[in-house]
């Protein structure tokens, strides 16, 4: 049972008023003296039973009349036909327009099924059409006649997004519940499409209409990346691509790489339900931005056959090292290889000179001892970070302030353990540490360190005394080390992991090679130079946008990217790809769906659709009759 | 010259406004006697006024044989009264007698009636005594006929306070045994007790050769039961409480109430007891007439 106007349901509580009045009147009875109860005792004994019964019946009839009347306002209904009350339900159709629906003729089948459902509704019935990728954006109300949606259906195409049915289901529920309408989802029943942790309410039937054919061989490109995580100019890097075969048969295809203006083809064989990686021979060594496109030819689902990569190869990374007499940057300079072959261009200055340098000339600032910077220096460093720079801050001597960089670093004090502590855990999924193993770091001993609070960042390594050792800020612009590179603090400087750790940290902070991999539907936020109009090219044309100031620097936001491909903002490329897992066409077992409470019907099933001509019954007239009868019974009792 | 209407002074609500029970009694009786001259109850006056020729229907015992011996004519004496009547005014002072919905409670009404009767009795040179009771005899003033006795009666009446339970039948039996010399027992009570037992007790008076006059006093609301909404009623004698819905009980209650009175009326008639049902808004003259009617029968 459900209610068409559930917001009026609380009014039913008013039906308690007669009961409350009855109780109150009992509590507040007037008292009076009377000469003798001699006669009343006899009279009451005779009349008592009937009186009590009459009083009780009056209360029951009065409450029932009121309750029925108030419940009728909430318009209750049941989802089956009752004699004289049944009518065909309204229908909300959700069309799964994820890119997997574009396989072969599946989309055409989905449109045909949707047309059939809308056309099957009787006269006077209402319908709504929700497109999964745009749920809530349009067609958000039930309209009559349902056939008005047919022209819209003809104009729809599969999107390049993944199937996320839950928002559409929730929106559909909002429409269906008050109208006691049914919900039909036209989908290919992909495993990940149907939310397994979300059950449809029992009073709104949700029918999943499967339009998929038998499982087909589908293979797609799942990832394109550079061989070196942080490619630098002058060091040749190759492009690699991962491919997945979602089908049950061996897939032999041709993989085509287009790197800038070069093209390379390779044959790739992928086992059933497996993946394969191809390393292309073409190399990139020039500085600047590069675009790679990998295509896998060819199968019934095109959307996941092509994937793009945009990356940058910086020439040299200018690094400003701020050192103090107490913590010289000797070990640091040695590790970074201060010669012409190094990708880093080091400039070493003493801490008091920091105020005379414009840090914006540098990609990254390294502070060897947080205690060496004055308050104005910290303020200056904060502005530098805001304007797009990055910093590596190390702790040697305790600084005078506990809150640094406007609270981004919280210094809690110094720790000098008896003996030493070592690294207890390391997050090797982070780009800074992904080339290391925890054991590489755990061999190092730390004799003194700062105690830092995480302050919203991510702890990349933690010491055996529980204190954070390396903390990376969420925006990727600040890394804090709870130690400095002196043997008094740690012997890490003598370990093999030190150089890669330092290189990766600085490359990470400089952003070399890391160009975010966007998915269709994401918003690209691109920093630009200057406040003038910016030309943006997208896979389907060019637009000009005015930048907006964000965190003190101009940027443009390309909202809700709709197509995969390369987007260029001020000539800087950004790759936008489809969600790779959408290419997996494996279907969820219908038994599991039915357990969750869904009804499942295959469009190829010759039986009649379980949705067509479903009926429900409005209980309001029945309740009004009950109210009237109870009211009449009350009047009759009063007259007795 | 218009005759002043003294009957208004016989209304209980008017009399009740006066201070002092002696004044009230006097007002009632004087007003009653003044009105009597114009009333059809002329035959019940208390003083001799004239002889008149015998008419068929007159009681032979009222023929003045002395006049007949002298004049050889039958004449009858009018308004001759006797002086040897012994009257016992029996006043119920139980808790239920305090009930009042108007300006006069039942006890006040009964007190004023008793005072008036005492005044009248002594005025006629009869003897009057007073008994007040609740569940037992509370006060007993023996009958006297001296004018000064009136003060004693009135003092006792003024001192009467309602309260406590009632035991009418028991008290009447006790009283019937106590009063040795036959006389007129005038009972003023609401008789809220078992009718059967009360009637038996009244018959006990008759058995002792007493004449009995019962004023069954009620408040008008006792029958009307004019409560509108459900109410918790408290018995003024027992203190017991009962929740009642008057709208539902009223009809049956009134029927039973009338039956209650009818039982007394019938029982009293069968025992040759004068029974008068009065409410606290009944003018006193009706009660006094009742008395005189009974008095005349006792000649």
């Amino acid at each position: 049972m459900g209610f068409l106007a559930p917001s009026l349901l609380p009014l039913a509580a008013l039906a308690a008023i007669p009961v409350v009045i009855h109780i109150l009147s009992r509590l507040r009875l007037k008292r009076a003296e009377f000469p003798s109860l001699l006669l009343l005792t006899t009279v009451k004994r005779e009349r008592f039973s009937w009186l009590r019964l009459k009083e009780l019946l009056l209360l029951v009839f009065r409450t029932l009349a009121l309750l029925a009347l108030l419940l009728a306002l909430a318009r209750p209904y049941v989802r089956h036909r009752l004699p004289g009350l049944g009518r065909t339900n309204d229908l909300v159709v959700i069309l799964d327009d994820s890119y997997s629906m574009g396989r072969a003729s599946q989309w055409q089948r989905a449109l045909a099924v949707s047309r059939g459902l809308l056309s099957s509704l009787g006269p006077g019935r209402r319908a709504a059409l929700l497109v999964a990728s745009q749920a809530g954006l349009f067609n958000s109300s039930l309209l009559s006649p349902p056939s008005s949606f047919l022209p819209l259906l003809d104009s729809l195409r599969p999107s390049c997004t993944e199937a996320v049915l839950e928002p559409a289901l929730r929106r559909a529920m909002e429409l269906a519940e008050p109208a006691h309408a049914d919900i039909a989802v036209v989908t290919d029943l992909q495993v990940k499409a149907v939310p397994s942790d979300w059950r449809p309410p029992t009073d709104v039937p949700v029918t999943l209409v499967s339009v998929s054919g038998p499982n087909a061989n589908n293979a797609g490109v799942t990832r394109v990346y550079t061989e070196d995580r942080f490619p630098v100019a002058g060091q040749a890097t190759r492009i690699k691509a991962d491919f997945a075969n979602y089908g049950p048969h061996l897939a032999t295809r041709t993989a085509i790489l287009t790197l800038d203006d070069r093209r390379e083809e390779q044959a790739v064989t992928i086992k059933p339900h497996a993946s394969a990686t191809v390393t292309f021979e073409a190399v990139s060594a020039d500085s600047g931005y590069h675009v790679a496109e990998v295509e896998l030819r060819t199968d019934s689902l095109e959307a996941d056959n092509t994937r793009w990569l945009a990356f940058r190869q910086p020439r040299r990374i200018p690094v400003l090292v701020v050192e103090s007499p107490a913590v010289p940057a000797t070990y640091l300079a040695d590790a970074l290889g201060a010669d012409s072959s190094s990708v880093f261009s080091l400039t070493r200055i003493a801490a008091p000179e920091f105020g005379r340098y414009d840090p914006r000339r540098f990609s990254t600032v390294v502070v060897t001892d947080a205690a060496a910077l004055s308050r104005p220096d910290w303020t200056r460093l904060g502005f530098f970070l805001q304007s797009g720079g990055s910093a590596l801050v190390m702790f040697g001597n305790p600084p005078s302030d506990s809150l640094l960089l406007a609270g981004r670093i919280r210094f809690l004090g110094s720790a000098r353990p008896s003996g030493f502590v070592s690294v207890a855990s390391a997050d090797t999924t982070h780009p800074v540490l992904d080339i290391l193993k925890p054991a590489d770091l755990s061999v190092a001993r730390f004799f003194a360190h700062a105690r830092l609070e995480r302050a919203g960042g991510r702890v990349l390594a933690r010491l055996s005394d529980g204190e954070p050792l390396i903390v990376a800020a969420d925006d990727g612009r600040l890394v804090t080390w709870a130690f400095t590179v002196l043997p008094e603090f740690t012997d890490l400087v003598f370990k093999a992991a030190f150089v890669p750790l330092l290189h990766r940290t600085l490359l990470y902070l400089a952003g070399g090679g890391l160009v975010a991999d966007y998915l269709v539907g994401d918003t690209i936020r691109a920093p630009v130079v200057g406040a003038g109009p910016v030309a943006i090219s997208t896979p389907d044309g060019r637009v000009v946008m005015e930048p907006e100031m964000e965190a003190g620097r101009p940027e443009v936001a390309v909202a809700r990217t709709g197509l995969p491909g390369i987007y260029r903002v001020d000539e800087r490329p950004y790759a936008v790809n489809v969600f790779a897992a959408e290419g997996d066409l494996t279907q969820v077992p219908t038994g599991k769906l039915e357990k969750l409470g869904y009804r499942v019907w295959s469009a190829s099933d010759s039986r009649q659709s379980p949705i067509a001509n479903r009926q429900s019954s409005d209980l309001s007239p029945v309740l009004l009759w009950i109210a009237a009868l109870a009211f009449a019974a009350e009047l009759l009792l009063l007259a007795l | 010259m218009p005759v002043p209407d003294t009957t208004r002074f016989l209304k209980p609500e008017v009399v009740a406004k006066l201070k002092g029970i002696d004044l009230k009694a006097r007002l009632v009786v004087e007003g009653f006697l003044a009105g009597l001259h114009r009333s059809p109850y002329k035959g019940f006056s208390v003083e001799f006024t004239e002889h008149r020729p015998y008419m068929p229907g007159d009681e032979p015992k009222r023929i003045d044989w002395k006049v007949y011996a002298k004049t050889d004519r039958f004449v009858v004496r009018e308004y001759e009264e006797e002086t040897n009547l012994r009257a016992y005014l029996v006043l119920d002072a139980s808790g239920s007698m305090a009930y009042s919905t108007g300006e006069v409670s039942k006890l006040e009404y009964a007190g004023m009636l008793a005072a008036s009767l005492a005044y009248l009795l002594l005025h006629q040179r009869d003897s009057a005594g007073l008994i007040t009771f609740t569940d037992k005899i509370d006060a007993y003033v023996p009958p006297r006929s001296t004018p000064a006795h009136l003060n004693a009666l009135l003092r006792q009446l003024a001192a009467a306070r309602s309260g406590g339970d009632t035991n009418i039948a028991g008290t009447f039996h006790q009283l019937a045994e106590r009063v040795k010399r036959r006389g007129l027992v005038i009972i003023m009570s609401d008789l809220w007790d078992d009718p059967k037992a009360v009637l038996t007790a009244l018959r006990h008076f008759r058995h002792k050769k007493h004449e009995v006059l019962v004023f069954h006093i009620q408040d008008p609301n006792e029958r009307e039961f004019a409560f509108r909404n459900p109410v918790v009623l408290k018995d003024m004698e027992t203190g017991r409480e009962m929740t009642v819905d008057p709208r539902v009980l009223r009809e049956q209650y009134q029927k039973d109430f009338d039956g209650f009175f009818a039982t007394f009326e019938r029982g009293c008639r069968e025992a040759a007891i004068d029974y008068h049902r009065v409410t606290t808004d009944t003018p006193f003259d009706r009660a006094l007439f009742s008395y005189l009617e009974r008095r005349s029968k006792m000649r």
Side-chain angles (χ1 to χ4, degrees):
Chain A
M1 195 172 100
F3 294 90
L4 287 178
S7 58
L8 296 178
L9 201 52
L11 286 179
L14 295 178
I17 287 177
V19 180
V20 172
I21 290 175
H22 178 78
I23 292 169
L24 283 181
S25 64
R26 286 263 161 201
L27 292 175
R28 299 174 64 182
L29 274 183
K30 200 177 164 186
R31 310 180 91 79
E33 289 193 321
F34 204 65
S36 175
L37 303 181
L38 188 69
L39 295 179
L40 287 169
T41 308
T42 320
V43 174
K44 195 172 178 185
R45 200 179 298 127
E46 288 169 2
R47 306 274 293 176
F48 186 73
S49 304
W50 164 238
L51 282 178
R52 282 295 295 268
L53 182 64
K54 184 178 173 184
E55 193 174 87
L56 197 66
L57 285 174
L58 274 175
L59 185 65
V60 167
F61 285 135
R62 194 169 295 162
T63 307
L64 181 66
L66 204 55
L67 183 66
L69 198 64
L70 293 167
L71 279 177
L73 290 178
R75 299 192 59 202
Y77 65 90
V78 288
R79 288 194 166 272
H80 53 263
R81 180 186 165 81
L82 293 177
L85 297 172
R87 65 179 190 120
T88 308
N89 292 346
D90 293 340
L91 182 65
V92 180
V93 177
I94 298 174
L95 182 57
D96 176 1
D97 65 337
S98 60
Y99 74 75
S100 63
M101 290 286 285
R103 181 169 70 94
S105 59
Q106 194 165 264
W107 182 248
Q108 296 309 318
R109 217 165 31 246
L111 293 181
V113 167
S114 302
R115 270 190 217 101
L117 288 172
L118 292 170
S119 306
S120 69
L121 296 173
R125 296 298 90 222
R126 299 175 302 163
L129 176 64
L130 294 176
V131 181
S133 66
Q134 302 176 58
L137 292 184
F138 68 104
N139 297 332
S140 56
S141 59
L142 287 159
L143 298 174
S144 184
S147 58
S148 59
F149 288 102
L150 297 181
L152 176 67
L153 269 179
D154 294 337
S155 68
L156 292 175
R157 298 285 177 273
S159 70
C160 293
T161 59
E162 59 178 314
V164 183
L165 291 177
E166 189 173 334
L169 277 168
R170 289 191 187 283
R171 177 66 192 135
M173 208 60 66
E174 290 171 14
L175 294 172
E177 270 186 330
H180 61 109
D182 289 359
I183 296 175
V185 187
V186 183
T187 177
D188 56 0
L189 289 184
Q190 261 189 299
V191 169
K192 65 178 195 56
V194 184
S196 58
D197 57 345
W198 187 82
R199 290 169 175 270
T202 49
D203 58 335
V204 180
V206 179
T207 306
L208 299 174
V209 184
S210 170
V211 290
S212 67
N215 271 350
N217 263 351
N218 179 46
V221 192
T222 57
R223 188 177 168 217
V224 178
Y225 51 101
T226 54
E227 190 175 31
D228 300 314
R229 179 72 185 260
F230 300 106
V232 224
Q235 295 178 352
T237 187
R238 291 189 294 181
I239 304 298
K240 298 177 81 171
D242 293 344
F243 303 94
N245 177 9
Y246 305 107
H249 308 294
L250 190 72
T252 303
R253 307 285 164 82
T254 303
I256 303 164
L257 166 73
T258 306
L259 175 61
D260 298 329
D261 54 353
R262 285 162 290 165
R263 182 182 168 90
E264 179 185 335
E265 288 189 13
Q266 279 199 31
V268 55
T269 301
I270 320 165
K271 292 177 181 171
H273 302 296
S275 58
T277 301
V278 168
T279 304
F280 292 95
E281 294 302 322
V283 295
S284 170
D286 299 336
S287 66
Y289 291 101
H290 302 278
V291 169
E293 177 187 324
V294 174
E295 185 185 356
L296 187 69
R297 286 187 178 167
T298 180
D299 60 25
S300 58
L301 180 59
E302 288 185 6
D304 64 347
N305 285 350
T306 308
R307 208 162 182 89
W308 289 265
L309 171 72
F311 63 98
R312 183 168 74 99
Q313 282 183 286
R315 186 180 301 280
R316 286 169 82 90
I317 299 172
V319 177
L320 177 65
V321 179
V322 182
E323 56 189 333
S324 71
V327 185
T330 316
Y331 291 96
L332 196 73
D334 289 347
L336 294 176
D339 55 35
S340 58
S341 64
S342 171
V343 294
F344 300 105
S345 164
L346 287 191
T347 302
R348 293 171 61 179
I349 60 168
E353 296 176 45
F354 184 54
R356 296 207 300 272
Y357 271 78
D358 180 4
R360 287 179 298 177
R361 288 168 41 216
F362 300 91
S363 172
T364 303
V365 169
V366 178
V367 179
T368 60
D369 185 9
L373 291 193
S374 64
R375 279 187 186 169
D377 292 338
W378 284 111
T379 307
R380 202 171 294 116
L381 188 60
F383 285 136
F384 171 63
L385 294 181
Q386 267 190 9
S387 62
S390 57
L392 168 62
V393 177
M394 305 174 191
F395 279 80
N397 297 312
S400 52
D401 291 333
S402 58
L403 293 179
L404 306 172
L405 288 175
R408 293 182 71 176
I409 300 174
R410 290 172 189 264
F411 172 73
L412 303 178
S414 297
R416 191 169 288 277
S418 58
F420 62 89
V421 289
S422 52
V423 173
S425 61
D427 180 0
T428 52
T429 62
H430 193 273
V432 168
L433 300 183
D434 66 356
I435 57 165
L436 297 174
K437 294 174 184 170
D440 296 332
L441 289 172
S442 62
V443 295
R445 293 178 298 174
F446 293 84
F447 311 110
H449 65 86
R451 291 173 50 237
L452 302 176
E453 195 179 286
R454 190 164 59 90
R458 179 173 167 186
V459 176
L460 306 186
R462 198 177 282 279
L463 291 168
S464 52
D465 60 1
E467 297 290 340
L469 181 69
I470 302 173
V471 180
D474 290 334
D475 62 358
R477 305 238 160 240
L478 175 67
V479 172
T480 311
W481 285 2
F483 62 97
T484 189
V485 283
L486 284 181
E488 298 95 290
F489 285 83
T490 177
D491 62 0
L492 176 67
V493 292
F494 306 121
K495 304 296 180 188
F498 176 61
V499 173
L501 173 67
L502 186 61
H503 274 243
R504 296 290 286 195
T505 303
L506 292 179
L507 284 169
Y508 167 75
L509 287 170
L514 291 176
V515 177
D517 189 8
Y518 292 96
L519 294 178
V520 172
D522 288 347
T523 295
I524 300 171
R525 295 189 175 280
V528 295
V529 179
V534 179
I536 298 163
S537 71
T538 69
D540 57 350
R542 286 176 70 86
V543 290
V544 174
M545 292 180 73
E546 292 289 339
E548 294 173 357
M549 295 302 286
E550 185 68 32
R553 48 184 185 155
E555 70 171 32
V556 293
V558 183
R560 291 182 61 82
T561 49
L563 290 173
I566 293 296
Y567 290 69
R568 289 183 187 275
V569 179
D570 225 2
E571 298 309 317
R572 180 174 175 177
Y574 295 87
V576 176
N577 291 298
V578 295
F579 183 65
E582 181 68 24
D584 184 355
L585 304 178
T586 309
Q587 291 181 13
V588 61
T590 55
K592 184 183 173 187
L593 292 171
E594 283 164 353
K595 269 186 187 172
L596 286 171
Y598 296 98
R599 298 151 191 258
V600 185
W601 178 65
S602 172
S604 58
D605 195 332
S606 57
R607 290 174 301 169
Q608 190 190 16
S609 155
I611 304 158
N613 296 318
R614 275 187 48 78
Q615 293 198 331
S616 63
S617 304
D618 189 352
L619 298 181
S620 304
V622 177
L623 286 172
L624 288 175
W625 269 109
I626 290 173
L629 288 175
F631 186 63
E634 186 190 340
L635 290 179
L636 195 67
L637 266 180
L638 285 172
L640 281 177
Chain B
M1 188 175 168
V3 178
D5 179 13
T6 54
T7 55
R8 76 185 180 87
F9 296 113
L10 299 174
K11 293 179 179 170
E13 64 271 22
V14 176
V15 175
K17 285 174 183 165
L18 294 175
K19 281 190 176 175
I21 195 164
D22 53 339
L23 189 59
K24 290 176 183 174
R26 186 172 173 176
L27 177 83
V28 170
V29 175
E30 296 296 342
F32 171 68
L33 292 178
L36 206 57
H37 293 296
R38 299 188 305 278
S39 76
Y41 294 93
K42 202 170 182 177
F44 303 120
S45 181
V46 292
E47 291 177 9
F48 170 78
T49 53
E50 59 182 350
H51 284 115
R52 66 165 172 80
Y54 172 78
M55 300 289 287
D58 283 340
E59 293 176 40
K61 69 177 183 179
R62 295 181 68 181
I63 295 171
D64 193 331
W65 296 108
K66 288 178 183 173
V67 174
Y68 175 72
K70 290 175 185 174
T71 62
D72 202 21
R73 290 168 58 193
F74 289 109
V75 293
V76 294
R77 286 175 68 102
E78 280 198 310
Y79 317 127
E80 187 178 81
E81 37 80 28
E82 292 180 353
T83 59
N84 59 349
L85 175 64
R86 187 175 290 272
Y88 300 91
L89 300 170
V90 182
L91 181 70
D92 182 356
S94 61
S96 62
M97 288 294 284
Y99 187 64
S100 162
T101 53
E103 295 183 11
V104 184
S105 71
K106 290 192 285 185
L107 183 64
E108 286 169 337
Y109 185 90
M112 286 189 285
L113 180 58
S116 305
L117 288 169
Y119 189 94
L120 191 57
L121 282 160
L122 292 173
H123 190 74
Q124 293 175 229
R125 289 183 294 282
D126 287 333
S127 298
L130 176 66
I131 297 99
T132 62
F133 70 96
T134 51
D135 55 344
K136 63 182 187 312
I137 294 171
D138 291 334
Y140 180 84
V141 180
R144 301 264 191 287
S145 60
T146 59
H149 187 56
L150 180 65
N151 287 337
L153 294 176
L154 294 181
R155 259 198 315 277
Q156 192 57 51
L157 281 170
R161 294 284 180 272
S162 64
D165 207 346
T166 188
N167 179 13
I168 295 174
T171 310
F172 284 1
H173 282 300
Q174 193 185 346
L175 190 60
E177 291 300 323
R178 183 167 178 176
V179 177
K180 300 294 182 191
R181 297 181 63 180
R182 62 183 290 266
L184 173 61
V185 178
I186 304 173
I187 295 168
M188 286 150 285
S189 170
D190 56 8
L191 298 179
W192 279 121
D193 206 342
D194 176 20
K196 201 174 169 184
V198 173
L199 284 169
T200 305
L202 288 174
R203 280 194 285 272
H204 194 173
F205 282 119
R206 293 293 293 141
H207 181 71
K208 293 287 185 178
K209 308 295 184 194
H210 293 295
E211 294 294 325
V212 183
L213 174 58
V214 175
F215 289 107
H216 194 166
I217 300 170
Q218 296 295 325
D219 187 276
N221 189 48
E222 279 184 88
R223 185 188 183 280
E224 293 305 317
F225 206 58
F227 300 102
R228 288 185 175 181
N229 298 313
V231 63
V232 179
L233 293 179
K234 182 182 179 184
D235 191 308
M236 295 174 77
E237 290 183 356
T238 62
R240 192 163 70 91
E241 289 190 341
M242 181 188 287
T243 306
V244 294
D245 187 344
R247 292 167 297 189
V248 181
L249 293 181
R250 185 177 292 117
E251 196 180 333
Q252 184 62 40
Y253 169 75
Q254 288 176 338
K255 203 180 283 180
D256 287 5
F257 191 88
D258 292 341
F260 180 72
F261 274 81
T263 305
F264 277 113
E265 205 161 9
R266 192 170 52 249
C268 287
R269 191 169 58 243
E270 287 167 3
I273 293 169
D274 269 12
Y275 173 86
H276 296 280
R277 181 174 167 178
V278 290
T279 55
T280 54
D281 55 358
T282 306
F284 288 112
D285 54 347
R286 288 193 199 168
L288 294 179
F289 278 134
S290 307
Y291 156 70
L292 288 179
E293 208 167 15
R294 163 53 57 182
R295 177 75 177 81
S296 70
K297 286 179 188 169
M298 292 173 67
R299 281 191 186 165

